[in-house]
Amino acid sequence: MNQQTNQQTNHPMNQNTSKNSIQRKEPCTPGTRNHLWMVLISYSLLGIFYLLTRHLTFGLHGMKSWPDLMALIALILLSLAIGFKRRILTGFVLAGHIGGYVLAMLFQRDGIDPGGGRTNNAWLIWLISFLLVSGMGLAGEIVLRRKGKNIN
């Protein structure tokens, strides 16, 4: 009988637990908090820049679907970089997306194709510079990883 009452008192449902006796783990450590800020800032910058390139500066470039596609590519690369906690690559993806657009607007050239249609090379400048800068960020991550330095 004594064993039975002992088992009943040791059962978690029968124990008296007050709020003060429960120790809670802090859900957000400083490293996690920094990562969450990086995620929030990165996605916010990409979203704001998408709105600027797609709608507000449409008169500069006249591209209807290209900013959508570039934002999608940047979103995929940014999500991969954030998912693997690669801070350098995250920054380079954002810099490549924004810087590529600026370069495209500065160096774009209008032309006429042999059929008489209007052409513009802004999309190509934007894509190539975005991929080059993102590739530099990936190379930087690889070099630092091989040297054994983890800055994340």
Side-chain angles (χ1 to χ4, degrees):
M1 184 84 148
N2 194 13
Q3 282 182 335
Q4 192 175 27
T5 56
N6 191 18
Q7 287 176 350
Q8 287 177 352
T9 57
N10 287 338
H11 191 273
M13 294 298 289
N14 294 333
Q15 292 180 351
N16 184 11
T17 57
S18 67
K19 290 183 181 179
N20 295 336
S21 67
I22 297 175
Q23 294 181 357
R24 295 184 182 189
K25 282 184 156 181
E26 187 176 332
C28 198
T29 63
T32 306
R33 201 171 304 129
N34 290 341
H35 183 71
L36 290 175
W37 275 111
M38 182 184 73
V39 169
L40 179 68
I41 291 169
S42 298
Y43 285 130
S44 296
L45 281 174
L46 183 64
I48 291 168
F49 189 72
Y50 169 73
L51 290 175
L52 288 173
T53 58
R54 178 65 177 102
H55 301 291
L56 295 178
T57 61
F58 182 75
L60 287 176
H61 55 74
M63 297 181 277
K64 294 179 182 170
S65 61
W66 189 251
D68 298 338
L69 182 62
M70 287 297 292
L72 180 65
I73 294 169
L75 181 66
I76 290 169
L77 288 177
L78 189 64
S79 297
L80 287 172
I82 287 172
F84 288 109
K85 295 183 178 180
R86 298 288 144 216
R87 294 171 74 183
I88 292 175
L89 184 58
T90 300
F92 272 77
V93 167
L94 286 171
H97 186 66
I98 296 168
Y101 177 78
V102 170
L103 286 175
M105 293 305 104
L106 289 175
F107 298 112
Q108 68 178 332
R109 295 287 176 251
D110 291 324
I112 297 175
D113 68 3
R118 181 177 167 256
T119 62
N120 189 306
N121 65 350
W123 67 274
L124 189 59
I125 296 169
W126 190 3
L127 177 66
I128 290 173
S129 57
F130 171 65
L131 292 176
L132 284 174
V133 172
S134 297
M136 289 178 358
L138 182 61
E141 290 283 358
I142 291 170
V143 167
L144 285 178
R145 180 170 271 200
R146 286 193 179 159
K147 286 186 175 182
K149 295 179 183 177
N150 191 4
I151 65 161
N152 298 318

